[in-house]
Amino acid sequence: DAGVTQSPTHLIKTRGQQVTLRCSPKSGHDTVSWYQQALGQGPQFIFQYYEEEERQRGNFPDRFSGHQFPNYSSELNVNALLLGDSALYLCASSFGSLAPPYEQYFGPGTRLTVT
Amino acid sequence: AQSVAQPEDQVNVAEGNPLTVKCTYSVSGNPYLFWYVQYPNRGLQFLLKYITGDNLVKGSYGFEAEFNKSQTSFHLKKPSALVSDSALYFCAVSPETGANNLFFGTGTRLTVIP
C-alpha cells in the first residue's frame, strides 16, 4: 500500500518564476492538505482540497493556488516566486474533510529553493 | 485563534531514562491534539492523538501523551528513551470545528545520548 508520494524531491527556481508541485494521496484517502515548512520552523497550513474544491485556506497570498483531480491527487502552484518561498513543501492526505479529526499522513516533501 | 507552544527547542536525555517533550495549546472549544515526529529529510510521521476520553493516550513506538485541560498541556512521554528516538518532534492542534487542518508548534529536537 503506497503512502503519500510527492514530486519532485528537489527543485531550484529563480525569483519571479512559477512552480508546480505534485502529490498523490495514500490509497483510500480523499482529502489533501498542503503545508509549508520553512527552515527551523513547524509546518504552516496552506490549504486543503476535498471533492476537487478548496475547503479551507491558511494565511497565504493568492500566489499560492492548487488543484485536486478526480483521482484525488493534487497540485500546488506558486507564482511570482520570492526568496522567502524557499521551504520544504509537505503534502498530507486524510479521509474526510468535514469529519475531523482523522490523522493526516505526510509525504516526504518537496524541497524548493528560490535563488 | 489557535496556537501551539513548544517551550524547549532542544531536549537531551540519556538512553534508558524517561523522556518528556512539552507542549501547551490555545484553541477555542475542545482541542484535537496530535504529536508527529520528523526524521532528517523525511516527512512527518504520526505518533498519537487525543480526541476525547482518557487523558493518557498511547501511541506508536512506546510513546504516550498526557492531556491536561486545566493546564492546557499535552506533553509527550516515554518511559525509557532509545537512541533511535532522536528526532524532531512536533505538537499540533486542530480546532473542533472546521476542516481538519493542523496548527503546529515550532518543534523540539530530542537527542538521546548513548
PDB file of all heavy atoms in Angstrom, chain A residues 35 37 41-43 45 48 56 88 90 97 100-104 106-108, chain B residues 32 34 36 38 42-44 46 49 51 90 96 98-102 104-106:
ATOM      1  N   TYR A  35       1.241  22.004   3.212  1.00  0.00           N
ATOM      2  CA  TYR A  35       1.896  22.765   4.273  1.00  0.00           C
ATOM      3  C   TYR A  35       3.248  23.272   3.773  1.00  0.00           C
ATOM      4  O   TYR A  35       3.919  22.610   2.977  1.00  0.00           O
ATOM      5  CB  TYR A  35       2.131  21.877   5.506  1.00  0.00           C
ATOM      6  CG  TYR A  35       0.881  21.427   6.212  1.00  0.00           C
ATOM      7  CD1 TYR A  35       0.144  20.338   5.759  1.00  0.00           C
ATOM      8  CD2 TYR A  35       0.431  22.088   7.348  1.00  0.00           C
ATOM      9  CE1 TYR A  35      -1.010  19.931   6.409  1.00  0.00           C
ATOM     10  CE2 TYR A  35      -0.717  21.686   8.018  1.00  0.00           C
ATOM     11  CZ  TYR A  35      -1.425  20.610   7.534  1.00  0.00           C
ATOM     12  OH  TYR A  35      -2.567  20.209   8.191  1.00  0.00           O
ATOM     13  N   GLN A  37       6.963  24.301   5.231  1.00  0.00           N
ATOM     14  CA  GLN A  37       7.834  24.221   6.394  1.00  0.00           C
ATOM     15  C   GLN A  37       9.139  24.954   6.104  1.00  0.00           C
ATOM     16  O   GLN A  37      10.014  24.441   5.401  1.00  0.00           O
ATOM     17  CB  GLN A  37       8.108  22.770   6.794  1.00  0.00           C
ATOM     18  CG  GLN A  37       8.907  22.657   8.082  1.00  0.00           C
ATOM     19  CD  GLN A  37       9.145  21.218   8.525  1.00  0.00           C
ATOM     20  OE1 GLN A  37       8.956  20.274   7.763  1.00  0.00           O
ATOM     21  NE2 GLN A  37       9.544  21.029   9.771  1.00  0.00           N
ATOM     22  N   GLN A  41      11.372  25.780  11.363  1.00  0.00           N
ATOM     23  CA  GLN A  41      10.005  26.094  11.790  1.00  0.00           C
ATOM     24  C   GLN A  41       9.102  24.865  11.692  1.00  0.00           C
ATOM     25  O   GLN A  41       9.455  23.868  11.049  1.00  0.00           O
ATOM     26  CB  GLN A  41       9.430  27.214  10.917  1.00  0.00           C
ATOM     27  CG  GLN A  41      10.220  28.513  10.991  1.00  0.00           C
ATOM     28  CD  GLN A  41      10.163  29.123  12.378  1.00  0.00           C
ATOM     29  OE1 GLN A  41       9.121  29.166  13.020  1.00  0.00           O
ATOM     30  NE2 GLN A  41      11.305  29.590  12.858  1.00  0.00           N
ATOM     31  N   GLY A  42       7.941  24.985  12.296  1.00  0.00           N
ATOM     32  CA  GLY A  42       6.939  23.945  12.129  1.00  0.00           C
ATOM     33  C   GLY A  42       6.179  24.178  10.834  1.00  0.00           C
ATOM     34  O   GLY A  42       6.174  25.281  10.284  1.00  0.00           O
ATOM     35  N   PRO A  43       5.547  23.144  10.324  1.00  0.00           N
ATOM     36  CA  PRO A  43       4.748  23.299   9.091  1.00  0.00           C
ATOM     37  C   PRO A  43       3.616  24.304   9.288  1.00  0.00           C
ATOM     38  O   PRO A  43       3.014  24.361  10.356  1.00  0.00           O
ATOM     39  CB  PRO A  43       4.201  21.893   8.854  1.00  0.00           C
ATOM     40  CG  PRO A  43       5.126  20.979   9.592  1.00  0.00           C
ATOM     41  CD  PRO A  43       5.563  21.748  10.792  1.00  0.00           C
ATOM     42  N   PHE A  45      -0.021  25.614   7.555  1.00  0.00           N
ATOM     43  CA  PHE A  45      -1.100  25.170   6.678  1.00  0.00           C
ATOM     44  C   PHE A  45      -1.308  26.160   5.549  1.00  0.00           C
ATOM     45  O   PHE A  45      -1.484  27.367   5.783  1.00  0.00           O
ATOM     46  CB  PHE A  45      -2.370  25.019   7.505  1.00  0.00           C
ATOM     47  CG  PHE A  45      -3.603  24.698   6.723  1.00  0.00           C
ATOM     48  CD1 PHE A  45      -3.782  23.440   6.178  1.00  0.00           C
ATOM     49  CD2 PHE A  45      -4.588  25.650   6.546  1.00  0.00           C
ATOM     50  CE1 PHE A  45      -4.934  23.131   5.473  1.00  0.00           C
ATOM     51  CE2 PHE A  45      -5.741  25.349   5.849  1.00  0.00           C
ATOM     52  CZ  PHE A  45      -5.912  24.088   5.299  1.00  0.00           C
ATOM     53  N   GLN A  48      -6.436  23.195   1.895  1.00  0.00           N
ATOM     54  CA  GLN A  48      -6.901  21.810   1.869  1.00  0.00           C
ATOM     55  C   GLN A  48      -7.915  21.634   0.744  1.00  0.00           C
ATOM     56  O   GLN A  48      -8.780  22.501   0.532  1.00  0.00           O
ATOM     57  CB  GLN A  48      -7.552  21.445   3.196  1.00  0.00           C
ATOM     58  CG  GLN A  48      -8.012  20.000   3.297  1.00  0.00           C
ATOM     59  CD  GLN A  48      -8.628  19.700   4.650  1.00  0.00           C
ATOM     60  OE1 GLN A  48      -9.802  19.967   4.885  1.00  0.00           O
ATOM     61  NE2 GLN A  48      -7.826  19.158   5.567  1.00  0.00           N
ATOM     62  N   GLN A  56     -10.530  24.920   2.792  1.00  0.00           N
ATOM     63  CA  GLN A  56     -10.059  25.845   3.812  1.00  0.00           C
ATOM     64  C   GLN A  56      -8.679  26.341   3.396  1.00  0.00           C
ATOM     65  O   GLN A  56      -7.941  25.625   2.726  1.00  0.00           O
ATOM     66  CB  GLN A  56     -10.004  25.168   5.175  1.00  0.00           C
ATOM     67  CG  GLN A  56      -9.735  26.123   6.332  1.00  0.00           C
ATOM     68  CD  GLN A  56     -10.410  25.687   7.609  1.00  0.00           C
ATOM     69  OE1 GLN A  56     -11.324  24.872   7.594  1.00  0.00           O
ATOM     70  NE2 GLN A  56      -9.965  26.225   8.726  1.00  0.00           N
ATOM     71  N   LEU A  88      10.450  23.580   2.612  1.00  0.00           N
ATOM     72  CA  LEU A  88      10.011  22.216   2.339  1.00  0.00           C
ATOM     73  C   LEU A  88       8.493  22.249   2.248  1.00  0.00           C
ATOM     74  O   LEU A  88       7.822  22.715   3.174  1.00  0.00           O
ATOM     75  CB  LEU A  88      10.468  21.282   3.463  1.00  0.00           C
ATOM     76  CG  LEU A  88      10.091  19.802   3.333  1.00  0.00           C
ATOM     77  CD1 LEU A  88      10.848  19.160   2.160  1.00  0.00           C
ATOM     78  CD2 LEU A  88      10.393  19.052   4.630  1.00  0.00           C
ATOM     79  N   LEU A  90       5.136  20.222   2.154  1.00  0.00           N
ATOM     80  CA  LEU A  90       4.625  18.917   2.566  1.00  0.00           C
ATOM     81  C   LEU A  90       3.182  18.755   2.128  1.00  0.00           C
ATOM     82  O   LEU A  90       2.367  19.665   2.277  1.00  0.00           O
ATOM     83  CB  LEU A  90       4.710  18.771   4.079  1.00  0.00           C
ATOM     84  CG  LEU A  90       6.116  18.773   4.670  1.00  0.00           C
ATOM     85  CD1 LEU A  90       6.051  18.936   6.187  1.00  0.00           C
ATOM     86  CD2 LEU A  90       6.845  17.489   4.325  1.00  0.00           C
ATOM     87  N   SER A  97     -12.938  15.447   4.767  1.00  0.00           N
ATOM     88  CA  SER A  97     -12.604  16.819   5.144  1.00  0.00           C
ATOM     89  C   SER A  97     -13.505  17.339   6.238  1.00  0.00           C
ATOM     90  O   SER A  97     -13.087  18.113   7.082  1.00  0.00           O
ATOM     91  CB  SER A  97     -12.721  17.734   3.921  1.00  0.00           C
ATOM     92  OG  SER A  97     -12.648  19.090   4.298  1.00  0.00           O
ATOM     93  N   PRO A 100     -13.563  15.758  11.111  1.00  0.00           N
ATOM     94  CA  PRO A 100     -12.303  15.640  11.865  1.00  0.00           C
ATOM     95  C   PRO A 100     -12.517  14.734  13.055  1.00  0.00           C
ATOM     96  O   PRO A 100     -13.624  14.525  13.487  1.00  0.00           O
ATOM     97  CB  PRO A 100     -12.019  17.077  12.278  1.00  0.00           C
ATOM     98  CG  PRO A 100     -13.357  17.743  12.283  1.00  0.00           C
ATOM     99  CD  PRO A 100     -14.144  17.061  11.223  1.00  0.00           C
ATOM    100  N   PRO A 101     -11.557  14.174  13.672  1.00  0.00           N
ATOM    101  CA  PRO A 101     -10.145  14.522  13.451  1.00  0.00           C
ATOM    102  C   PRO A 101      -9.313  13.340  12.978  1.00  0.00           C
ATOM    103  O   PRO A 101      -8.547  12.789  13.720  1.00  0.00           O
ATOM    104  CB  PRO A 101      -9.694  14.939  14.830  1.00  0.00           C
ATOM    105  CG  PRO A 101     -10.506  14.024  15.724  1.00  0.00           C
ATOM    106  CD  PRO A 101     -11.756  13.614  14.973  1.00  0.00           C
ATOM    107  N   TYR A 102      -9.493  12.958  11.753  1.00  0.00           N
ATOM    108  CA  TYR A 102      -8.648  11.907  11.229  1.00  0.00           C
ATOM    109  C   TYR A 102      -7.193  12.375  11.157  1.00  0.00           C
ATOM    110  O   TYR A 102      -6.919  13.495  10.778  1.00  0.00           O
ATOM    111  CB  TYR A 102      -9.105  11.520   9.828  1.00  0.00           C
ATOM    112  CG  TYR A 102     -10.503  10.950   9.807  1.00  0.00           C
ATOM    113  CD1 TYR A 102     -11.583  11.705   9.363  1.00  0.00           C
ATOM    114  CD2 TYR A 102     -10.732   9.654  10.238  1.00  0.00           C
ATOM    115  CE1 TYR A 102     -12.850  11.183   9.355  1.00  0.00           C
ATOM    116  CE2 TYR A 102     -12.006   9.124  10.226  1.00  0.00           C
ATOM    117  CZ  TYR A 102     -13.066   9.883   9.786  1.00  0.00           C
ATOM    118  OH  TYR A 102     -14.325   9.368   9.777  1.00  0.00           O
ATOM    119  N   GLU A 103      -6.292  11.487  11.510  1.00  0.00           N
ATOM    120  CA  GLU A 103      -4.885  11.860  11.433  1.00  0.00           C
ATOM    121  C   GLU A 103      -4.474  11.996   9.977  1.00  0.00           C
ATOM    122  O   GLU A 103      -5.014  11.325   9.094  1.00  0.00           O
ATOM    123  CB  GLU A 103      -3.980  10.834  12.127  1.00  0.00           C
ATOM    124  CG  GLU A 103      -4.114   9.423  11.636  1.00  0.00           C
ATOM    125  CD  GLU A 103      -5.072   8.631  12.505  1.00  0.00           C
ATOM    126  OE1 GLU A 103      -6.021   9.216  13.051  1.00  0.00           O
ATOM    127  OE2 GLU A 103      -4.872   7.415  12.632  1.00  0.00           O
ATOM    128  N   GLN A 104      -3.544  12.881   9.744  1.00  0.00           N
ATOM    129  CA  GLN A 104      -3.054  13.125   8.403  1.00  0.00           C
ATOM    130  C   GLN A 104      -1.747  12.370   8.192  1.00  0.00           C
ATOM    131  O   GLN A 104      -0.910  12.296   9.079  1.00  0.00           O
ATOM    132  CB  GLN A 104      -2.852  14.622   8.185  1.00  0.00           C
ATOM    133  CG  GLN A 104      -4.160  15.402   8.328  1.00  0.00           C
ATOM    134  CD  GLN A 104      -4.030  16.861   7.959  1.00  0.00           C
ATOM    135  OE1 GLN A 104      -3.085  17.258   7.284  1.00  0.00           O
ATOM    136  NE2 GLN A 104      -4.985  17.661   8.383  1.00  0.00           N
ATOM    137  N   PHE A 106       1.673  12.222   6.015  1.00  0.00           N
ATOM    138  CA  PHE A 106       2.501  13.165   5.277  1.00  0.00           C
ATOM    139  C   PHE A 106       3.419  12.462   4.277  1.00  0.00           C
ATOM    140  O   PHE A 106       3.928  11.365   4.540  1.00  0.00           O
ATOM    141  CB  PHE A 106       3.357  13.989   6.232  1.00  0.00           C
ATOM    142  CG  PHE A 106       2.598  15.063   6.941  1.00  0.00           C
ATOM    143  CD1 PHE A 106       1.811  14.756   8.044  1.00  0.00           C
ATOM    144  CD2 PHE A 106       2.641  16.373   6.509  1.00  0.00           C
ATOM    145  CE1 PHE A 106       1.094  15.740   8.705  1.00  0.00           C
ATOM    146  CE2 PHE A 106       1.937  17.364   7.163  1.00  0.00           C
ATOM    147  CZ  PHE A 106       1.158  17.045   8.260  1.00  0.00           C
ATOM    148  N   GLY A 107       3.632  13.145   3.166  1.00  0.00           N
ATOM    149  CA  GLY A 107       4.631  12.704   2.214  1.00  0.00           C
ATOM    150  C   GLY A 107       6.010  13.194   2.625  1.00  0.00           C
ATOM    151  O   GLY A 107       6.148  13.924   3.604  1.00  0.00           O
ATOM    152  N   PRO A 108       7.050  12.808   1.871  1.00  0.00           N
ATOM    153  CA  PRO A 108       8.416  13.180   2.221  1.00  0.00           C
ATOM    154  C   PRO A 108       8.734  14.642   1.936  1.00  0.00           C
ATOM    155  O   PRO A 108       9.741  15.158   2.426  1.00  0.00           O
ATOM    156  CB  PRO A 108       9.269  12.262   1.355  1.00  0.00           C
ATOM    157  CG  PRO A 108       8.397  11.957   0.188  1.00  0.00           C
ATOM    158  CD  PRO A 108       6.992  11.928   0.708  1.00  0.00           C
TER     159      PRO A 108
ATOM    160  N   TYR B  32      -8.409  19.088  19.484  1.00  0.00           N
ATOM    161  CA  TYR B  32      -7.913  17.817  18.978  1.00  0.00           C
ATOM    162  C   TYR B  32      -6.392  17.978  18.900  1.00  0.00           C
ATOM    163  O   TYR B  32      -5.896  18.882  18.230  1.00  0.00           O
ATOM    164  CB  TYR B  32      -8.484  17.495  17.604  1.00  0.00           C
ATOM    165  CG  TYR B  32      -9.989  17.356  17.577  1.00  0.00           C
ATOM    166  CD1 TYR B  32     -10.729  17.875  16.522  1.00  0.00           C
ATOM    167  CD2 TYR B  32     -10.665  16.707  18.599  1.00  0.00           C
ATOM    168  CE1 TYR B  32     -12.103  17.741  16.486  1.00  0.00           C
ATOM    169  CE2 TYR B  32     -12.041  16.581  18.569  1.00  0.00           C
ATOM    170  CZ  TYR B  32     -12.758  17.098  17.513  1.00  0.00           C
ATOM    171  OH  TYR B  32     -14.117  16.975  17.478  1.00  0.00           O
ATOM    172  N   PHE B  34      -2.319  16.433  18.567  1.00  0.00           N
ATOM    173  CA  PHE B  34      -1.534  15.429  17.857  1.00  0.00           C
ATOM    174  C   PHE B  34      -0.051  15.596  18.177  1.00  0.00           C
ATOM    175  O   PHE B  34       0.417  16.699  18.458  1.00  0.00           O
ATOM    176  CB  PHE B  34      -1.695  15.567  16.336  1.00  0.00           C
ATOM    177  CG  PHE B  34      -3.114  15.456  15.846  1.00  0.00           C
ATOM    178  CD1 PHE B  34      -3.994  16.520  15.950  1.00  0.00           C
ATOM    179  CD2 PHE B  34      -3.557  14.273  15.254  1.00  0.00           C
ATOM    180  CE1 PHE B  34      -5.296  16.411  15.486  1.00  0.00           C
ATOM    181  CE2 PHE B  34      -4.854  14.169  14.788  1.00  0.00           C
ATOM    182  CZ  PHE B  34      -5.719  15.228  14.902  1.00  0.00           C
ATOM    183  N   TYR B  36       3.586  14.499  16.162  1.00  0.00           N
ATOM    184  CA  TYR B  36       4.249  13.955  14.981  1.00  0.00           C
ATOM    185  C   TYR B  36       5.754  13.975  15.210  1.00  0.00           C
ATOM    186  O   TYR B  36       6.274  14.806  15.959  1.00  0.00           O
ATOM    187  CB  TYR B  36       3.935  14.788  13.736  1.00  0.00           C
ATOM    188  CG  TYR B  36       2.562  14.561  13.157  1.00  0.00           C
ATOM    189  CD1 TYR B  36       1.446  15.222  13.666  1.00  0.00           C
ATOM    190  CD2 TYR B  36       2.377  13.695  12.079  1.00  0.00           C
ATOM    191  CE1 TYR B  36       0.189  15.017  13.128  1.00  0.00           C
ATOM    192  CE2 TYR B  36       1.125  13.484  11.532  1.00  0.00           C
ATOM    193  CZ  TYR B  36       0.038  14.147  12.056  1.00  0.00           C
ATOM    194  OH  TYR B  36      -1.211  13.943  11.520  1.00  0.00           O
ATOM    195  N   GLN B  38       9.589  13.878  13.085  1.00  0.00           N
ATOM    196  CA  GLN B  38      10.216  14.083  11.775  1.00  0.00           C
ATOM    197  C   GLN B  38      11.679  13.682  11.850  1.00  0.00           C
ATOM    198  O   GLN B  38      12.453  14.241  12.635  1.00  0.00           O
ATOM    199  CB  GLN B  38      10.095  15.542  11.338  1.00  0.00           C
ATOM    200  CG  GLN B  38      10.580  15.803   9.918  1.00  0.00           C
ATOM    201  CD  GLN B  38      10.305  17.236   9.480  1.00  0.00           C
ATOM    202  OE1 GLN B  38      10.383  18.171  10.269  1.00  0.00           O
ATOM    203  NE2 GLN B  38       9.967  17.402   8.213  1.00  0.00           N
ATOM    204  N   ARG B  42      12.915  13.621   5.938  1.00  0.00           N
ATOM    205  CA  ARG B  42      11.706  12.812   5.850  1.00  0.00           C
ATOM    206  C   ARG B  42      10.494  13.671   6.166  1.00  0.00           C
ATOM    207  O   ARG B  42      10.583  14.725   6.782  1.00  0.00           O
ATOM    208  CB  ARG B  42      11.769  11.656   6.855  1.00  0.00           C
ATOM    209  CG  ARG B  42      12.943  10.720   6.669  1.00  0.00           C
ATOM    210  CD  ARG B  42      12.665   9.685   5.614  1.00  0.00           C
ATOM    211  NE  ARG B  42      11.582   8.805   5.977  1.00  0.00           N
ATOM    212  CZ  ARG B  42      11.716   7.732   6.734  1.00  0.00           C
ATOM    213  NH1 ARG B  42      12.901   7.436   7.255  1.00  0.00           N
ATOM    214  NH2 ARG B  42      10.680   6.963   6.993  1.00  0.00           N
ATOM    215  N   GLY B  43       9.337  13.194   5.754  1.00  0.00           N
ATOM    216  CA  GLY B  43       8.098  13.852   6.144  1.00  0.00           C
ATOM    217  C   GLY B  43       7.759  13.542   7.588  1.00  0.00           C
ATOM    218  O   GLY B  43       8.516  12.889   8.299  1.00  0.00           O
ATOM    219  N   LEU B  44       6.627  14.021   8.016  1.00  0.00           N
ATOM    220  CA  LEU B  44       6.191  13.822   9.391  1.00  0.00           C
ATOM    221  C   LEU B  44       5.482  12.477   9.542  1.00  0.00           C
ATOM    222  O   LEU B  44       4.689  12.089   8.692  1.00  0.00           O
ATOM    223  CB  LEU B  44       5.243  14.939   9.820  1.00  0.00           C
ATOM    224  CG  LEU B  44       5.876  16.253  10.253  1.00  0.00           C
ATOM    225  CD1 LEU B  44       6.465  16.985   9.071  1.00  0.00           C
ATOM    226  CD2 LEU B  44       4.867  17.135  10.966  1.00  0.00           C
ATOM    227  N   PHE B  46       2.979  10.251  12.070  1.00  0.00           N
ATOM    228  CA  PHE B  46       2.002  10.360  13.135  1.00  0.00           C
ATOM    229  C   PHE B  46       2.396   9.465  14.303  1.00  0.00           C
ATOM    230  O   PHE B  46       2.758   8.303  14.115  1.00  0.00           O
ATOM    231  CB  PHE B  46       0.633   9.959  12.586  1.00  0.00           C
ATOM    232  CG  PHE B  46      -0.436   9.785  13.622  1.00  0.00           C
ATOM    233  CD1 PHE B  46      -1.068  10.869  14.176  1.00  0.00           C
ATOM    234  CD2 PHE B  46      -0.809   8.516  14.034  1.00  0.00           C
ATOM    235  CE1 PHE B  46      -2.058  10.716  15.120  1.00  0.00           C
ATOM    236  CE2 PHE B  46      -1.798   8.341  14.980  1.00  0.00           C
ATOM    237  CZ  PHE B  46      -2.427   9.441  15.522  1.00  0.00           C
ATOM    238  N   LYS B  49      -2.782  10.756  19.003  1.00  0.00           N
ATOM    239  CA  LYS B  49      -3.727  11.865  19.012  1.00  0.00           C
ATOM    240  C   LYS B  49      -4.631  11.760  20.228  1.00  0.00           C
ATOM    241  O   LYS B  49      -4.869  10.669  20.761  1.00  0.00           O
ATOM    242  CB  LYS B  49      -4.573  11.874  17.743  1.00  0.00           C
ATOM    243  CG  LYS B  49      -5.540  10.705  17.623  1.00  0.00           C
ATOM    244  CD  LYS B  49      -6.340  10.771  16.321  1.00  0.00           C
ATOM    245  CE  LYS B  49      -7.276   9.567  16.217  1.00  0.00           C
ATOM    246  NZ  LYS B  49      -7.998   9.533  14.914  1.00  0.00           N
ATOM    247  N   ILE B  51      -8.502  12.928  21.293  1.00  0.00           N
ATOM    248  CA  ILE B  51      -9.776  13.474  20.814  1.00  0.00           C
ATOM    249  C   ILE B  51     -10.691  13.732  22.009  1.00  0.00           C
ATOM    250  O   ILE B  51     -11.151  14.836  22.248  1.00  0.00           O
ATOM    251  CB  ILE B  51     -10.461  12.510  19.831  1.00  0.00           C
ATOM    252  CG1 ILE B  51      -9.489  12.147  18.696  1.00  0.00           C
ATOM    253  CG2 ILE B  51     -11.751  13.113  19.295  1.00  0.00           C
ATOM    254  CD1 ILE B  51      -8.947  13.337  17.950  1.00  0.00           C
ATOM    255  N   PHE B  90       6.977  17.374  16.798  1.00  0.00           N
ATOM    256  CA  PHE B  90       6.038  18.474  16.636  1.00  0.00           C
ATOM    257  C   PHE B  90       4.725  18.140  17.313  1.00  0.00           C
ATOM    258  O   PHE B  90       4.149  17.075  17.096  1.00  0.00           O
ATOM    259  CB  PHE B  90       5.762  18.757  15.156  1.00  0.00           C
ATOM    260  CG  PHE B  90       6.918  19.377  14.418  1.00  0.00           C
ATOM    261  CD1 PHE B  90       7.776  18.593  13.671  1.00  0.00           C
ATOM    262  CD2 PHE B  90       7.132  20.744  14.481  1.00  0.00           C
ATOM    263  CE1 PHE B  90       8.832  19.157  12.981  1.00  0.00           C
ATOM    264  CE2 PHE B  90       8.193  21.313  13.798  1.00  0.00           C
ATOM    265  CZ  PHE B  90       9.044  20.517  13.044  1.00  0.00           C
ATOM    266  N   GLU B  96     -11.909  22.285  16.920  1.00  0.00           N
ATOM    267  CA  GLU B  96     -13.033  21.352  16.980  1.00  0.00           C
ATOM    268  C   GLU B  96     -13.937  21.483  15.763  1.00  0.00           C
ATOM    269  O   GLU B  96     -14.485  20.508  15.272  1.00  0.00           O
ATOM    270  CB  GLU B  96     -13.840  21.614  18.254  1.00  0.00           C
ATOM    271  CG  GLU B  96     -14.998  20.644  18.468  1.00  0.00           C
ATOM    272  CD  GLU B  96     -15.750  20.923  19.750  1.00  0.00           C
ATOM    273  OE1 GLU B  96     -15.617  22.036  20.274  1.00  0.00           O
ATOM    274  OE2 GLU B  96     -16.474  20.035  20.234  1.00  0.00           O
ATOM    275  N   GLY B  98     -14.665  23.053  11.788  1.00  0.00           N
ATOM    276  CA  GLY B  98     -13.943  23.393  10.578  1.00  0.00           C
ATOM    277  C   GLY B  98     -13.226  22.203   9.989  1.00  0.00           C
ATOM    278  O   GLY B  98     -13.329  21.081  10.467  1.00  0.00           O
ATOM    279  N   ALA B  99     -12.473  22.458   8.959  1.00  0.00           N
ATOM    280  CA  ALA B  99     -11.757  21.391   8.268  1.00  0.00           C
ATOM    281  C   ALA B  99     -10.616  20.881   9.128  1.00  0.00           C
ATOM    282  O   ALA B  99     -10.183  21.526  10.075  1.00  0.00           O
ATOM    283  CB  ALA B  99     -11.218  21.911   6.935  1.00  0.00           C
ATOM    284  N   ASN B 100     -10.120  19.743   8.763  1.00  0.00           N
ATOM    285  CA  ASN B 100      -9.132  19.051   9.561  1.00  0.00           C
ATOM    286  C   ASN B 100      -7.729  19.561   9.266  1.00  0.00           C
ATOM    287  O   ASN B 100      -6.862  18.808   8.844  1.00  0.00           O
ATOM    288  CB  ASN B 100      -9.225  17.556   9.263  1.00  0.00           C
ATOM    289  CG  ASN B 100      -8.391  16.736  10.214  1.00  0.00           C
ATOM    290  OD1 ASN B 100      -7.951  17.206  11.241  1.00  0.00           O
ATOM    291  ND2 ASN B 100      -8.148  15.492   9.842  1.00  0.00           N
ATOM    292  N   ASN B 101      -7.498  20.867   9.460  1.00  0.00           N
ATOM    293  CA  ASN B 101      -6.158  21.378   9.249  1.00  0.00           C
ATOM    294  C   ASN B 101      -5.446  21.483  10.587  1.00  0.00           C
ATOM    295  O   ASN B 101      -6.068  21.638  11.637  1.00  0.00           O
ATOM    296  CB  ASN B 101      -6.200  22.739   8.558  1.00  0.00           C
ATOM    297  CG  ASN B 101      -7.116  23.718   9.278  1.00  0.00           C
ATOM    298  OD1 ASN B 101      -8.296  23.460   9.419  1.00  0.00           O
ATOM    299  ND2 ASN B 101      -6.564  24.809   9.748  1.00  0.00           N
ATOM    300  N   LEU B 102      -4.139  21.364  10.552  1.00  0.00           N
ATOM    301  CA  LEU B 102      -3.336  21.304  11.752  1.00  0.00           C
ATOM    302  C   LEU B 102      -2.528  22.587  11.932  1.00  0.00           C
ATOM    303  O   LEU B 102      -2.007  23.146  10.974  1.00  0.00           O
ATOM    304  CB  LEU B 102      -2.369  20.117  11.674  1.00  0.00           C
ATOM    305  CG  LEU B 102      -3.010  18.725  11.634  1.00  0.00           C
ATOM    306  CD1 LEU B 102      -1.959  17.675  11.297  1.00  0.00           C
ATOM    307  CD2 LEU B 102      -3.669  18.414  12.961  1.00  0.00           C
ATOM    308  N   PHE B 104       0.792  23.722  13.905  1.00  0.00           N
ATOM    309  CA  PHE B 104       1.955  23.099  14.510  1.00  0.00           C
ATOM    310  C   PHE B 104       2.734  24.053  15.399  1.00  0.00           C
ATOM    311  O   PHE B 104       2.761  25.277  15.175  1.00  0.00           O
ATOM    312  CB  PHE B 104       2.910  22.596  13.425  1.00  0.00           C
ATOM    313  CG  PHE B 104       2.446  21.360  12.715  1.00  0.00           C
ATOM    314  CD1 PHE B 104       1.611  21.445  11.611  1.00  0.00           C
ATOM    315  CD2 PHE B 104       2.856  20.107  13.149  1.00  0.00           C
ATOM    316  CE1 PHE B 104       1.188  20.303  10.949  1.00  0.00           C
ATOM    317  CE2 PHE B 104       2.446  18.957  12.488  1.00  0.00           C
ATOM    318  CZ  PHE B 104       1.612  19.055  11.403  1.00  0.00           C
ATOM    319  N   GLY B 105       3.402  23.471  16.403  1.00  0.00           N
ATOM    320  CA  GLY B 105       4.400  24.200  17.147  1.00  0.00           C
ATOM    321  C   GLY B 105       5.689  24.285  16.347  1.00  0.00           C
ATOM    322  O   GLY B 105       5.770  23.791  15.221  1.00  0.00           O
ATOM    323  N   THR B 106       6.700  24.890  16.941  1.00  0.00           N
ATOM    324  CA  THR B 106       7.963  25.098  16.233  1.00  0.00           C
ATOM    325  C   THR B 106       8.899  23.902  16.335  1.00  0.00           C
ATOM    326  O   THR B 106       9.962  23.898  15.723  1.00  0.00           O
ATOM    327  CB  THR B 106       8.682  26.335  16.779  1.00  0.00           C
ATOM    328  OG1 THR B 106       8.786  26.214  18.201  1.00  0.00           O
ATOM    329  CG2 THR B 106       7.915  27.609  16.433  1.00  0.00           C
TER     330      THR B 106
END
